[in-house]
Amino acid sequence: MAARRITKSSINWQAMLDRVHPEQQSYFVAFKAKADNYLRRVMANPAALPKIDWAHYKKSVPVAGMVDTFQKQYESIQIPYPPDTMTASVEAQEKEVMAEVKKFVAESNTRITEYQKELDHLNSLLPINQMTMEDYKDAYPELALDGEKRPTFWPHTPEEQPGMEQRGEGSAH
């Protein structure tokens, strides 16, 4: 596999920065500076091995066959480019995560619709400080005092009603 020369970063740094928590942005900027420095150092090197004037060395070196041996070894140098073994698994993981994200967005939109209905209902009611007891009973029938169906004793708290045990008193040890 021939090595390919990377000429431009495929990372959208601005999109990544938009997702970084504000308290972590200084770390992200430092990371980006290191990545840019590394890319500059790599780009400073030539894409191919430098050409050598073998004829000049054959004239200058008195040992017969030495330059030919070096030339043969130099031209046979193959620097292996590491194989890409992770892209397929990352892309599969990305598909799974995107499916989960779409599901979460759909569920969230459903919840938003339900909450908006509740909010619209609450906004349609009279403000609490302007309600009468009858208005309160109409708006919140499960919470309002109902002397006919659920009679209670003053002060109308659950602890003061018949059948409620006092906390901490009369309990078996």
Side-chain angles (χ1 to χ4, degrees), residues 86-87 114 128 148 154 157 170:
M86 298 304 294
T87 298
E114 292 171 8
I128 292 283
E148 296 175 9
W154 187 88
T157 58

Side-chain angles (χ1 to χ4, degrees), residues 53-122:
D53 183 11
W54 295 107
H56 170 72
Y57 288 108
K58 285 180 184 178
K59 292 178 197 171
S60 303
V61 175
V63 179
M66 179 185 245
V67 175
D68 291 332
T69 304
F70 283 149
Q71 181 180 4
K72 181 179 171 189
Q73 290 175 355
Y74 183 79
E75 290 173 353
S76 68
I77 291 176
Q78 293 293 323
I79 300 172
Y81 190 77
D84 183 7
T85 58
M86 298 304 294
T87 298
S89 64
V90 168
E91 288 174 352
Q93 186 178 14
E94 179 185 20
K95 287 179 183 177
E96 291 174 12
V97 168
M98 290 307 293
E100 291 176 17
V101 167
K102 287 180 182 178
K103 178 182 173 188
F104 177 76
V105 167
E107 291 171 354
S108 294
N109 286 337
T110 303
R111 284 192 305 273
I112 288 170
T113 304
E114 292 171 8
Y115 294 150
Q116 190 61 46
K117 288 178 185 175
E118 288 181 32
L119 191 58
D120 291 342
H121 170 69
L122 292 174

Side-chain angles (χ1 to χ4, degrees), residues 157-171:
T157 58
E159 293 83 19
E160 300 297 327
Q161 303 311 309
M164 277 299 285
E165 289 185 29
Q166 294 292 330
R167 295 184 187 171
E169 296 179 14
S171 60

Side-chain angles (χ1 to χ4, degrees), residues 2-3 13 20 32-33 38 42 44 59 67 78 123 128 135 146 154:
W13 291 102
V20 173
K32 183 182 181 310
Y38 174 75
V42 168
K59 292 178 197 171
V67 175
Q78 293 293 323
N123 288 335
I128 292 283
D135 293 331
D146 187 354
W154 187 88

Side-chain angles (χ1 to χ4, degrees), residues 31 70 153 173:
F31 169 72
F70 283 149
F153 296 105
H173 295 293

